[in-house]
Amino acid sequence: MLPTAAVAVPKLVSQSDTCKSGYVWREATGADDHVCVTPGVRAQARDDNAHAADRRVSPSDPACKSGYVWREAIPSDLVCVTPGTRAQTKDDNAHAASRVQKSDTCKSGYVWREATGADDHVCVTPGVRAQARDDNAHAADRRVSPSDPACKSGYVWREAIPSDLVCVTPGTRAQTKDDNAHAASRVQ
């Protein structure tokens, strides 16, 4: 059975997913894909989804025909697109936080997580932020090798955002997922 693109997408935006002027939700992998993109990029994603089957080697094989690659808006997104579209998707994911109208003030008792950088404005407890900093500091020690993002036994990717491949304990990943899910309720 092939993986489907209509999966729950971790929102790359925390407090608010209202796009800044000139941007709309991408919705490439479903209605929960709230990465803000230009209207043209959303139209391209819809077109790519409509032609997904035509770009595969066969209906039972997710491999792409020559000239196409997986879009990878999220790790399970196996829609075949041009390399340029995949590059655009990666760029859109990287700029997701800068394209939303956000409230940058956490409620009392919460601070920005900053697990993936200064733009990670998911509000968490100070202890969770300290854990994220510690996990980042030990990231290299928890990988199979410096050139391989795979985690050593007992660790999994944190996935604060889809591109977050810092190796953490399963409990920390569960905490990260929970913090992302509750992010909107923790801002003023």
Side-chain angles (χ1 to χ4, degrees), residues 10 19 26 32 35-36 58 66-67 71-72 92 97-98 100 106 111 118 129 153 162 175 178 183:
C19 297
R26 179 174 56 202
D32 288 339
V35 172
C36 297
S58 75
S66 180
R71 179 173 51 206
E72 299 177 326
D92 289 330
S98 68
V100 293
C106 296
V111 295
R129 179 166 69 182
S153 179
Q175 178 67 50
D178 184 68

Side-chain angles (χ1 to χ4, degrees), residues 1-155:
M1 186 167 156
L2 294 175
T4 61
V7 296
V9 177
K11 289 185 182 167
L12 300 180
V13 194
S14 54
Q15 296 81 356
S16 165
D17 56 4
T18 301
C19 297
K20 288 182 178 178
S21 179
Y23 293 98
V24 296
W25 292 340
R26 179 174 56 202
E27 299 177 332
T29 57
D32 288 339
D33 181 2
H34 291 187
V35 172
C36 297
V37 298
T38 64
V41 168
R42 178 167 67 181
Q44 180 66 49
R46 288 178 176 167
D47 184 68
D48 289 330
N49 289 347
H51 292 94
D54 302 332
R55 297 174 179 171
R56 286 193 168 155
V57 171
S58 75
S60 62
D61 186 350
C64 299
K65 288 181 179 177
S66 180
Y68 293 98
V69 294
W70 290 333
R71 179 173 51 206
E72 299 177 326
I74 60 172
S76 61
D77 179 17
L78 306 182
V79 171
C80 298
V81 299
T82 65
T85 296
R86 178 165 66 180
Q88 178 67 51
T89 300
K90 183 177 181 178
D91 185 70
D92 289 330
N93 284 353
H95 291 94
S98 68
R99 296 177 178 171
V100 293
Q101 301 204 21
K102 55 187 165 185
S103 166
D104 283 332
T105 306
C106 296
K107 288 183 177 177
S108 180
Y110 293 97
V111 295
W112 293 338
R113 179 175 55 203
E114 299 178 333
T116 59
D119 285 343
D120 182 5
H121 292 183
V122 172
C123 296
V124 299
T125 64
V128 168
R129 179 166 69 182
Q131 179 66 50
R133 288 179 175 166
D134 184 66
D135 290 330
N136 290 348
H138 292 93
D141 302 335
R142 298 174 179 173
R143 289 192 167 177
V144 172
S145 75
S147 61
D148 185 349
C151 298
K152 289 181 179 176
S153 179
Y155 293 97

Side-chain angles (χ1 to χ4, degrees), residues 159-171:
E159 298 178 325
I161 60 173
S163 61
D164 179 18
L165 305 183
V166 171
C167 298
V168 298
T169 65

